[in-house]
Amino acid sequence: MNRRRTALLSLTGLLATALTALPAAPAGAGADEVEQVRNGTFDTTTEPWWASAGVTTSLSDGRLCADIPGGTTNRWDAALGQNDITLVKGESYRFSFAATGAPAGHVVRAVVGLSVAPYDAYYEVSPQLGVSGDTYSYTFTAPADTERGQVALQLGGSPDPWRFCVDDVSLLGGVEPEPYEPDTGPRVRVNQVAYLPAGPKNATLVTGATERLPWQLKDAGGRVVRQGRTVPRGVDDSSGQNVHSIDFGAHRARGTGYTLAVDGETSRPFDIDAGAYERLRLDSAKYYYTQRSGIEIRDDLRPGYARPAGHVDAAPNQGDGRVPCRPGVCDYTLDVTGGWYDAGDHGKYVVNGGISTWEVLSTYERARHARTGQADKLGDGTLNIPESGNGVPDILDEARWELEFLLKMQVPEGEPLAGMAHHKIHDEQWTGLPLLPGDDPQKRELHPPSTAATLNLAATAAQAARLYRPYDGKFAAEALAAARTAWTAALAHPGEYASPDDGVGGGAYPDDEVSDEFYWAAAELYLTTGERRFEEYVLKSPVHTADIFGPLGFDWSRTAVAGRLDLATVPNGLPGRDKVRSSVVKGADRYLATLTAHPYGMPYAPAGNVYDWGSSHQVLNNAVVLATAYDLTGAAKYRDGALQSMDYILGRNALNISYVTGYGEVSAQNQHSRWYARQLDPALPNPPAGTLSGGPNSSIQDPYAQSMLQGCVGQFCFIDDIQSWSTNEHTVNWNAALTRMASFVADQR
């Protein structure tokens, strides 16, 4: 299911009133060995190129030169371009130009995409002039047919004026394609971070060999400390690779800088120690502070990530203090300040914020009740956030930032659909990249209430009521009252569904099957209140006895597992609770069988190896079920399965990459984001350490992935590029799965 859609090339929409329209040459018939750019050499004129307001252009020595004003905020605030470019789907193009800047060092965002809505970017690069050289050439494949294409050179964002000159701009169709071949490094794939001394230790070798091969485990000094032979596994359908498995779990000595050597290859280094998971437990939860809306992010708390508060009614923001509904939805405004930005955009969503908050809260609740749980590791002062030192566990303080926003999204008394929750709030139109939250100029809008959002609110507010009661009884009571109101409203309006077409300016998050949300909300209300009406709803729900542990795992649109896990683990007196616990263990058995059969050792094998959007967090959520089975039974096989699942996330995969920023020798660094955007602007940071990438997505919905990954198989449907929002975004619900699993692993020292 398409979670969201992000338009990257919003230049024309943003500058429509500022551009000077010029006559266009007739569109070409195709792209077979045809130059698509008109007058890219600027011998006698600048036509048909346009320039945005404030940019002065002239000819100089056969080049187009532009004086770029200082004091602009965004790349697209100053730009040059040409419209009515013809592109042919599946055609390979060479995009090239020569450019200089004075002074040197400025970044130019060069984009090929649509000049009309939805302004998709089909290809973009951001070279640093004078550092990347003076001549630039790139090859890509067009993902769609259009005669309304655009070549744009975005030049804004500098505090000082500067001069830009460009020549020999070319978009040549029919060139020989340059297939994308990811650098996968050594053929020995390991968890690049760490294995636990007393845990499983497995690796995968990519090789053409069919016979067993000798392997050696070496310490940091190169001394062989363990050896054995591989186990041939044949061709792995999820990658198309012939692979062998390596099991070196017998080695339990702690240490750093271990490597595996086999078949003439040496793996990337790794540790055998639990320390990295103590760091990851905190880093994955610290991610949420820099996702906060409505508050300044302080450099002393998160060095390198300071930024002004976003969406607090300070220009250029239109702000979240008095947000109206979309036309025709309501006639009131709401204060919906605060909360977490959902992903790499500036939207805030109840239907995804709910499952995210639940899993963050459940990380703490599990630590309170599980035999290996260490709640103090998530206590006050552990995350170094503004609330640290207030006597409340930091992870609860962080979750409360989102919870208070969720409560604000409830329809007020006296209004139609009172007690329901608005589905989402975000910009009227998509914005481009990069764009700090405080610089977002778009109008903000509330979208219609939905039953799914209302039940997300009911479930998380009910859970919050029991967890915050020891620390803030007033807030706990407020949360429980909101949960009850939401529950009643959802029962009265069970068929209010978000439109799947409501995806302009923000993700749609459509969900027209809400029996799972009703079950989840009833379970949380029962666990908090013990009331008979909620108990009866749970017991009578067909979801209660359904097989809910499918291959894709639980997610924002599949929430029944959330209720089932909490009924199994949070102390309660539900009749037949043994069957609930047994169902969790049976689900874990299924995931364990999947993991055992998988050559890369993960509890995720979707039908036809069609990897879903956010597959990395689905691997982790299936691992959560394994971890819960261990908490319920104490059986080591479930613990080991949960631990081994982390290996895939941290490097034991076909691409030999850690999907967690800052963890492993090679990790995802360029997740799609408007403010973690170093790939587009060297002045901005990469995502903070502990940020999970969505990972392989077979549907490759974004134009950039489509231009690079056509025909990809399973694990290879991923590219670490900021433009690939369908394979490489980050989101609050994906990091929630990482937070929960990192905390579990850290507890298994």
Side-chain angles (χ1 to χ4, degrees):
M1 179 181 293
N2 291 3
R3 184 185 69 86
R4 59 187 305 112
R5 174 181 172 83
T6 305
L8 298 181
L9 184 56
S10 57
L11 176 67
T12 301
L14 289 170
L15 299 179
T17 60
L19 302 182
T20 301
L22 293 168
D32 185 17
E33 299 291 347
V34 173
E35 176 61 63
Q36 300 303 313
V37 168
R38 301 175 298 283
N39 185 28
T41 57
F42 310 108
D43 293 329
T44 60
T45 180
T46 62
E47 294 186 7
W49 291 79
W50 50 252
S52 60
V55 175
T56 303
T57 63
S58 62
L59 292 178
S60 177
D61 297 326
R63 302 176 299 167
L64 185 157
C65 291
D67 292 313
I68 311 303
T72 56
T73 300
N74 306 300
R75 289 274 180 257
W76 55 83
D77 291 340
L80 308 170
Q82 184 177 131
N83 294 340
D84 299 317
I85 300 288
T86 295
L87 297 169
V88 177
K89 183 177 180 179
E91 189 74 52
S92 183
Y93 293 85
R94 180 179 298 116
F95 178 34
S96 59
F97 55 94
T100 59
H106 286 278
V107 174
V108 54
R109 181 183 183 226
V111 189
V112 181
L114 279 176
S115 64
V116 295
Y119 308 111
D120 281 338
Y122 294 157
Y123 188 78
E124 70 171 274
V125 289
S126 295
Q128 188 173 10
L129 301 178
V131 175
S132 306
D134 295 332
T135 303
Y136 309 93
S137 181
Y138 312 94
T139 301
F140 71 98
T141 301
D145 290 318
T146 183
E147 293 184 353
R148 304 299 300 277
Q150 179 190 76
V151 169
L153 301 169
Q154 300 182 8
L155 308 161
S158 172
D160 302 312
W162 62 290
R163 186 168 175 82
F164 171 75
C165 293
V166 65
D167 197 6
D168 297 327
V169 184
S170 172
L171 185 66
L172 187 65
V175 301
E176 188 70 23
E178 297 178 9
Y180 172 67
E181 296 182 2
D183 180 3
T184 57
R187 291 183 287 104
V188 192
R189 311 293 159 78
V190 298
N191 178 329
Q192 297 175 30
V193 177
Y195 298 89
L196 297 191
K201 302 174 191 68
N202 295 277
T204 299
L205 169 69
V206 179
T207 178
T210 57
E211 302 296 325
R212 291 161 61 92
L213 297 172
W215 58 261
Q216 295 180 327
L217 176 66
K218 298 180 180 181
D219 64 17
R223 183 173 63 95
V224 176
V225 296
R226 186 76 56 173
Q227 52 191 335
R229 288 189 172 270
T230 64
V231 176
R233 301 293 296 272
V235 175
D236 164 41
D237 290 338
S238 73
S239 65
Q241 300 167 323
N242 190 75
V243 297
H244 293 201
S245 293
I246 300 169
D247 182 347
F248 57 104
H251 187 80
R252 309 183 80 171
R254 298 177 187 271
T256 61
Y258 283 100
T259 55
L260 270 176
V262 56
D263 199 24
E265 297 276 311
T266 299
S267 74
R268 288 173 174 147
F270 55 88
D271 297 346
I272 298 180
D273 189 74
Y277 293 101
E278 289 289 358
R279 296 191 298 275
L280 184 56
R281 183 207 312 257
L282 300 181
D283 281 346
S284 58
K286 287 178 180 180
Y287 158 89
Y288 291 95
Y289 174 57
T290 52
Q291 287 295 113
R292 287 191 188 187
S293 175
I295 188 174
E296 174 192 8
I297 305 303
R298 291 164 41 187
D299 194 67
D300 62 316
L301 299 182
R302 203 67 75 245
Y305 291 90
R307 60 172 171 80
H311 300 98
V312 289
D313 305 311
N317 280 173
Q318 298 192 38
D320 289 350
R322 290 177 55 85
V323 179
C325 285
R326 290 182 60 196
V329 173
C330 74
D331 58 4
Y332 54 82
T333 64
L334 292 181
D335 174 0
V336 289
T337 51
W340 297 324
Y341 296 118
D342 180 70
D345 64 296
H346 300 134
K348 299 185 292 189
Y349 307 78
V350 174
V351 79
N352 198 50
I355 194 68
S356 307
T357 305
W358 168 80
E359 195 151 20
V360 171
L361 290 175
S362 293
T363 300
Y364 179 72
E365 193 159 30
R366 182 251 161 210
R368 288 184 58 203
H369 298 305
R371 70 189 72 199
T372 60
Q374 301 180 68
D376 61 303
K377 298 292 187 178
L378 297 165
D380 189 24
T382 55
L383 297 183
N384 196 28
I385 57 179
E387 298 82 4
S388 294
N390 66 357
V392 179
D394 277 2
I395 198 166
L396 295 187
D397 281 325
E398 188 56 66
R400 182 167 175 170
W401 192 262
E402 176 73 357
L403 279 162
E404 291 184 344
F405 157 74
L406 297 177
L407 297 177
K408 293 176 182 179
M409 291 288 281
Q410 198 159 29
V411 177
E413 291 183 13
E415 300 289 348
L417 300 179
M420 297 282 282
H422 286 276
H423 198 72
K424 56 180 182 170
I425 174 261
H426 56 64
D427 291 338
E428 183 180 32
Q429 299 290 332
W430 285 110
T431 57
L433 283 77
L435 183 67
L436 289 173
D439 295 330
D440 176 16
Q442 284 280 338
K443 177 185 176 183
R444 307 281 274 177
E445 293 180 331
L446 292 166
H447 289 246
S450 71
T451 306
T454 304
L455 292 167
N456 269 260
L457 173 59
T460 53
Q463 181 188 28
R466 64 178 180 264
L467 290 175
Y468 289 87
R469 194 173 290 141
Y471 305 102
D472 189 336
K474 181 180 179 181
F475 176 67
E478 177 189 352
L480 184 56
R484 292 182 187 277
T485 299
W487 174 259
T488 301
L491 288 175
H493 305 283
E496 296 289 333
Y497 303 133
S499 169
D501 298 323
D502 188 12
V504 176
Y509 286 106
D511 187 358
D512 59 3
E513 172 49 67
V514 294
S515 60
D516 52 337
E517 279 84 5
F518 270 111
Y519 175 72
W520 172 35
E524 299 299 344
L525 281 159
Y526 167 72
L527 291 170
T528 297
T529 69
E531 292 177 10
R532 175 63 63 87
R533 60 171 172 152
F534 300 121
E535 175 187 297
E536 290 179 350
Y537 192 97
V538 167
L539 294 175
K540 291 179 180 179
S541 171
V543 177
H544 187 56
T545 53
D547 181 0
I548 58 175
F549 298 100
L552 294 184
F554 63 90
D555 198 357
W556 63 268
S557 64
R558 298 181 295 273
T559 61
V561 171
R564 189 81 63 88
L565 294 182
D566 281 1
L567 289 170
T569 57
V570 177
N572 69 87
L574 186 74
R577 187 165 178 246
D578 286 348
K579 292 183 179 179
V580 174
R581 295 161 70 94
S582 177
S583 73
V584 175
V585 173
K586 288 180 180 178
D589 286 337
R590 179 178 300 166
Y591 294 141
L592 191 61
T594 298
L595 180 149
T596 301
H598 203 294
Y600 276 99
M602 56 176 163
Y604 180 76
N609 290 296
V610 177
Y611 277 54
D612 201 15
W613 203 325
S615 62
S616 60
H617 97 292
Q618 291 171 332
V619 171
L620 291 171
N621 277 341
N622 288 350
V624 165
V625 177
L626 288 166
T628 304
Y630 171 68
D631 289 339
L632 293 173
T633 67
K637 63 180 180 178
Y638 301 120
R639 170 186 179 270
D640 288 354
L643 295 177
Q644 190 176 162
S645 301
M646 290 292 285
D647 296 346
Y648 165 83
I649 297 296
L650 297 174
R652 187 193 172 196
N653 52 58
L655 289 171
N656 203 3
I657 186 174
S658 167
Y659 290 112
V660 181
T661 304
Y663 282 80
E665 185 174 80
V666 176
S667 66
Q669 299 286 322
N670 299 306
Q671 286 92 319
H672 176 79
S673 173
R674 282 159 177 74
W675 56 99
Y676 310 136
R678 187 173 181 82
Q679 188 179 5
L680 299 179
D681 186 344
L684 294 175
N686 285 324
T691 299
L692 181 68
S693 166
N697 174 6
S698 296
S699 297
I700 55 172
Q701 288 93 337
D702 65 87
Y704 186 78
Q706 291 167 6
S707 74
M708 304 292 281
L709 301 176
Q710 289 292 338
C712 61
V713 176
Q715 292 192 56
F716 280 96
C717 297
F718 172 83
I719 186 167
D720 182 26
D721 194 284
I722 196 169
Q723 300 173 62
S724 184
W725 40 266
S726 68
T727 77
N728 195 38
E729 196 163 12
H730 64 94
T731 73
V732 290
N733 62 315
W734 300 346
N735 241 73
L738 178 64
T739 298
R740 182 157 177 172
M741 276 308 300
S743 186
F744 173 84
V745 176
D747 285 344
Q748 311 308 310
R749 303 180 67 88

